[in-house]
Every structure is written in C-alpha cells, then in structure tokens.
Amino acid sequence: MPSVLVVEDDQFVRSALIRHLTEASHTVRSVGTALEALREVAHFRFDVVILDLGLPDLDGAEALKMLRSITDVPVIIATARDDEAEIVRLLNDGADDYLTKPFSVEHLSARMAAVLRRTRGAGGQAPPPRVIQVGGLSIDPLRRQAELDGTALDLTRREFDLLAFLAGRPGVVVPRRELLAEVWQQSYGDDQTIDVHLSWLRRKLGETAARPRYLHTLRGVGVKLEPPESAPAAAPEPPA
C-alpha cells in the first residue's frame, strides 16, 4: 500500500486527510511540525509527502528545501497561499505539485495518483533510448543527464522529464493536454504548470519566449522542441 506522510498543523484538516487517505488504503503517518517531518523522512520510507506551508516551527518553503536535501520523495504542497510568484518558487525548489486550499478529497486523490504513477512508472514499457541528440542538446534518459553544447544542465526531475519528452519528438508540436498526460500523468490540469516549467527550461537553455532557440510555443496549439536554425549558407562563388 502507498505510504503517505501528512505534514499539517491544523488538527481538523489533519484528521480529515488521515481519514480519507486511510479509507483509500494508504498507510498514513502524520506530524504537525517541519522538524518532525524531517525526522520521519530520515527514518521511514514514504511514497509521497503532503506538506502544509503554515507550520508553527518553520515555514513550509524552508522545510521543502530541507526535505529536498535528504530525499527525492515526491512532495505535494497543500497551501492557502495563491501567490503566483510563491508557487513558482516552490516548484523551482523541488515541489512535485501543489494544491490551493480548500480542495476536495477527489482532487487530492487525483493529484496523488498522478504523482505515484509518475514516480513508479508503468511496467512493460520499452526501454528509453540511450542518448537523444537535438542540435547541441544531448539527453541521456538512462542516466537522467542533459548537456547543452557539452555543458551539463542542472535540471529538476520535472524539467528533465519535460525536456526528454519533447526531445524525443523533435520538430513535432505536442499539445498541452498530451504534455499533462505524459509528463504530469494528469488528464486535466492548469496550463500554468506547463508555462512555469517551460520558463525554467528556457532560462537554463539560454533563451526566452521572445527569443526562442530550442523551445517554441504555438499559442493555442502546443509546444515543440527543435534545433536552432543554422546560419544561412554562404552564396556559392560564381564560376571563374
């Protein structure tokens, strides 16, 4: 059974989450502070952590950074904060997903299921290719390493998954709903999540939405990755 750590100081919310997750056949442990969460993760193995931001001893954003320093366990942020800049920062600091309170238990279940499918992977799939080469991009799915013009890229797990998925279909416009389904394992979701990760990738690839090199967004259609256009070939010299 999937094991879940609930980090929530509100006793009412905490009890409701424990009840729902237990009824859904999850093994649940719960704590009310960031330090307790760090101790739990250090001593037990979890499939997913649900992390509240308003903790009494340490802000959840700082707790997330500390969690990421010791584990790769998927973390779903549960927060009443809806500031876009903070959401972006949390995703950049390693959160796998976020939910804005109040949320339904059905919504939480769908997000958790998506995270678990993504981290466990589906059996029977063909092994990924050794190395994907698109222009100066070199992506090794087996080692989960990516380089641009010989320089290693420091990518989060989700950034790498998105880049590798697009690079495996160079020049093909991938609809956003397909990205949600294949990279996020969600049948629905907020386009903001895709936009945020694309923005991070562009920055690490040395480009912007206004001046794209590899990543091209077709408004209302989707996203494609292709090598930068080469410089125009020199005109042939006239025959002597």
Side-chain angles (χ1 to χ4, degrees):
M1 293 182 293
S3 177
V4 183
L5 175 64
V6 174
V7 188
E8 170 64 65
D9 70 318
D10 185 306
Q11 189 59 49
F12 177 79
V13 175
R14 186 170 161 187
S15 297
L17 288 175
I18 293 171
R19 182 174 64 254
H20 165 70
L21 293 170
T22 302
E23 290 174 351
S25 300
H26 294 291
T27 301
V28 185
R29 294 179 67 89
S30 67
V31 294
T33 68
L35 292 180
E36 288 176 315
L38 292 170
R39 282 196 292 268
E40 287 287 308
V41 169
H43 290 91
F44 300 97
R45 180 172 180 173
F46 296 97
D47 295 299
V48 64
V49 173
I50 300 172
L51 176 66
D52 177 43
L53 294 184
L55 300 173
D57 60 334
L58 188 66
D59 185 79
E62 292 302 315
L64 173 64
K65 292 180 183 179
M66 297 176 73
L67 283 170
R68 275 290 161 263
S69 70
I70 62 174
T71 179
D72 271 340
V73 62
V75 176
I76 298 176
I77 299 294
T79 175
R81 308 173 194 174
D82 59 0
D83 179 68
E84 180 178 348
E86 182 165 24
I87 291 171
V88 170
R89 185 165 57 252
L90 290 167
L91 291 170
N92 200 30
D93 286 341
D96 291 81
D97 207 342
Y98 69 90
L99 283 169
T100 302
K101 296 178 180 177
F103 51 81
S104 68
V105 292
E106 292 79 14
H107 195 173
L108 173 61
S109 293
R111 294 296 183 94
M112 284 185 55
V115 167
L116 292 171
R117 285 197 303 270
R118 189 164 57 245
T119 54
R120 292 177 175 180
Q125 293 181 338
R130 281 185 172 179
V131 176
I132 303 171
Q133 195 78 37
V134 181
L137 272 173
S138 178
I139 301 164
D140 188 336
L142 292 174
R143 293 184 174 85
R144 296 188 65 81
Q145 296 174 349
E147 295 182 351
L148 176 61
D149 299 326
T151 300
L153 294 172
D154 183 16
L155 304 177
T156 65
R157 179 173 57 198
R158 192 64 54 76
E159 289 169 357
F160 182 89
D161 291 343
L162 178 58
L163 182 64
F165 185 80
L166 291 171
R169 297 150 182 80
V172 175
V173 179
V174 181
R176 287 171 175 268
R177 64 178 179 274
E178 184 176 346
L179 290 176
L180 283 171
E182 298 296 335
V183 178
W184 277 266
Q185 298 293 314
Q186 296 177 13
S187 57
Y188 64 93
D190 189 346
D191 280 2
Q192 182 189 48
T193 299
I194 298 176
D195 291 335
V196 165
H197 285 83
L198 285 173
S199 176
W200 297 336
L201 274 178
R202 285 193 174 101
R203 185 162 60 244
K204 293 178 180 181
L205 295 176
E207 61 182 70
T208 65
R211 294 177 177 272
R213 296 181 64 235
Y214 284 91
L215 294 169
H216 301 264
T217 300
L218 281 72
R219 187 178 297 275
V221 182
V223 184
K224 69 175 177 177
L225 183 145
E226 60 185 7
E229 294 182 3
S230 57
E237 296 183 2

